[in-house]
Amino acid sequence: LGKIFQVSGVQYGRLESNVTLACGKSQIRIPVAWHLNHSSVLPWHKVTSDGTLVLLHVDHSAQGNYSCYDNRGLLLHSVKLRLGHPPGLLSISCKVPNHTHVRCSWVDSVKTFLPAKYNASFRGTGQEWRPCVVDVARKHCDVDHPAFWQTIHILRISETNALGSETTSVRFRLHDLLKPDPPESVLVNELEGYPKRLIVSWNFPSSWPLHDAFPLMFQIRYRPQGSIYWSEVYAEESPVMIFDALAGYPHEVQLRARDEVNSDSQWSEWSPLLLVRPWEVSSTSESPELLLPDYIFPFNTKPETSTAKPPDHPEDEGNLGLAILLVLFSVVILTTILSLIFVVWMRQRRRDHVTKQELTSMVKMKSMPI
């Protein structure tokens, strides 16, 4: 027979087992009649000689209010029956949106069908246990200001209901779980007069409060709508200018973030996809892209992997450097050709001089008397 778990007029039993309901505490053997929800129709059962009701291999239909009566119809006892399962192990996952907060949530491996209480505690290696504040309705708990310098952390959650208790423990590294929320307030705007440029701006995630102590690295990806290939730019600050947008085509743009210092941390999820078209060239106006210098637009354009700022417009400096190299190369080639011509000329001149001397000698020899 199943064990009896009774709390304040409610008796709990395990599904798919036999459940015993006693007709009060009296041991006097008298004939009794049992009713379920005021009906004499009962699930599969038997009644013992002392008036005890035994429900066999119960399912959910056996739940309800049971009452027993004597042979004169007087109520002797009533009890409410609830059925379910004892707790099982929990499936736990934790999120670390910044260096000051940890949130762990769980999913039941066993659907108990019964109300439960949860107790959660958290600690780093060699530290005292501290509470993880539980939100029962949302099935998660929170820890503020965890010891981030500790390598390993342990979370322990106990689930208890009327039929039993189960404790689940997990070990993890906060550095590996650190994952910022996506950047917020992302905007992508055209730049009037520049059909190949877009300006991307954003804010830090509101859940990342310590901007200065823990800087973030941002990754921007963009592509013409319909393309399968993304272009990428890395930056530490907003805004960033894109210089190589495809004129006349709408572009898809997204951002994500990661802790700049902690290489073990995770990238955030991508921000929602934004669709924007660069400025369109008007047939009645000339594009200032060809008229105005680039130095009036101080935006980041290349990946930033250190505190040093990249040049505002590396493509212009690259073109200038290429031109200088081409000029130097031309000078070297020209100098080499002139040197070769000079060497050939000198050699030819020497040969002509030697030939002239030989002819003079031969003439002198022929004019001498024998």
Side-chain angles (χ1 to χ4, degrees):
L1 298 178
K3 292 183 179 180
I4 298 175
F5 302 89
Q6 191 161 346
V7 181
S8 301
V10 180
Q11 183 170 326
Y12 295 88
R14 298 181 67 161
L15 286 164
E16 302 175 358
S17 69
N18 297 342
V19 176
T20 300
L21 301 177
C23 187
K25 298 181 180 180
S26 173
Q27 300 298 319
I28 301 174
R29 296 188 176 186
I30 57 174
V32 297
W34 283 92
H35 287 185
L36 169 59
N37 298 329
H38 308 291
S39 170
S40 60
V41 179
L42 300 176
W44 187 28
H45 69 284
K46 65 180 181 180
V47 179
T48 63
S49 58
D50 62 355
T52 297
L53 175 66
V54 180
L55 301 173
L56 305 174
H57 201 68
V58 292
D59 58 22
H60 286 288
S61 66
Q63 293 187 121
N65 295 308
Y66 287 82
S67 52
C68 62
Y69 301 85
D70 64 11
N71 55 4
R72 293 175 296 173
L74 295 176
L75 177 64
L76 300 176
H77 180 69
S78 64
V79 64
K80 182 178 181 179
L81 178 63
R82 292 197 62 176
L83 301 171
H85 297 288
L89 292 174
L90 302 174
S91 175
I92 301 174
S93 61
C94 295
K95 294 183 178 180
V96 186
N98 57 54
H99 293 79
T100 64
H101 186 75
V102 179
R103 170 167 289 180
C104 296
S105 57
W106 58 87
V107 176
D108 298 319
S109 62
V110 176
K111 189 170 180 61
T112 65
F113 302 102
L114 298 175
K117 294 181 179 180
Y118 297 92
N119 181 272
S121 51
F122 179 91
R123 74 172 184 181
T125 306
Q127 290 189 313
E128 297 286 331
W129 288 103
R130 55 182 293 193
C132 186
V133 181
V134 173
D135 184 330
V136 176
R138 295 179 174 86
K139 292 187 176 180
H140 68 232
C141 71
D142 296 279
V143 176
D144 289 325
H145 302 288
F148 235 90
W149 60 89
Q150 293 288 338
T151 305
I152 301 295
H153 290 77
I154 303 172
L155 177 70
R156 183 175 63 189
I157 302 177
S158 297
E159 179 185 5
T160 304
N161 66 19
L163 299 180
S165 180
E166 185 70 66
T167 299
T168 307
S169 296
V170 292
R171 296 163 59 91
F172 49 83
R173 286 165 44 92
L174 292 181
H175 285 283
D176 294 339
L177 296 179
L178 181 61
K179 181 179 180 180
D181 290 327
E184 299 176 358
S185 303
V186 180
L187 294 175
V188 184
N189 294 310
E190 65 178 37
L191 183 60
E192 185 176 358
Y194 293 83
K196 295 183 179 181
R197 302 190 186 188
L198 295 171
I199 303 174
V200 185
S201 61
W202 65 90
N203 291 333
F204 273 69
S206 56
S207 58
W208 192 271
L210 305 177
H211 299 176
D212 297 331
F214 303 103
L216 287 176
M217 172 66 70
F218 297 93
Q219 181 184 7
I220 306 163
R221 68 177 185 180
Y222 57 97
R223 65 182 179 186
Q225 188 178 30
S227 173
I228 62 173
Y229 300 106
W230 293 95
S231 297
E232 296 178 349
V233 174
Y234 295 83
E236 296 174 6
E237 297 177 356
S238 171
V240 164
M241 180 175 287
I242 295 172
F243 284 88
D244 57 353
L246 191 60
Y249 287 86
H251 284 65
E252 299 172 342
V253 182
Q254 287 182 298
L255 272 81
R256 63 178 182 175
R258 196 187 78 179
D259 186 300
E260 184 181 9
V261 178
N262 180 10
S263 60
D264 294 328
S265 64
Q266 303 178 39
W267 283 101
S268 73
E269 298 299 322
W270 288 103
S271 64
L273 192 70
L274 294 179
L275 190 65
V276 64
R277 184 188 297 271
W279 179 83
E280 296 279 3
V281 179
S282 171
S283 58
T284 59
S285 63
E286 222 178 304
S287 170
E289 191 105 45
L290 305 175
L291 304 178
L292 298 180
D294 283 332
Y295 57 77
I296 65 172
F297 300 105
F299 294 96
N300 303 317
T301 61
K302 274 197 172 182
E304 297 185 9
T305 56
S306 68
T307 55
K309 297 293 181 182
D312 288 340
H313 300 288
E315 72 274 17
D316 294 343
E317 295 187 4
N319 292 338
L320 178 59
L322 181 60
I324 292 173
L325 286 176
L326 289 174
V327 171
L328 291 175
F329 183 73
S330 300
V331 170
V332 171
I333 294 296
L334 182 60
T335 303
T336 303
I337 293 173
L338 291 175
S339 299
L340 289 174
I341 292 173
F342 179 74
V343 169
V344 171
W345 178 75
M346 287 297 294
R347 286 184 177 179
Q348 186 63 40
R349 185 176 178 184
R350 286 182 181 177
R351 287 177 183 174
D352 292 344
H353 181 69
V354 170
T355 303
K356 185 176 181 181
Q357 285 183 341
E358 289 177 350
L359 289 173
T360 303
S361 299
M362 289 177 64
V363 170
K364 286 182 179 181
M365 288 177 67
K366 286 184 178 181
S367 61
M368 289 176 64
I370 299 176

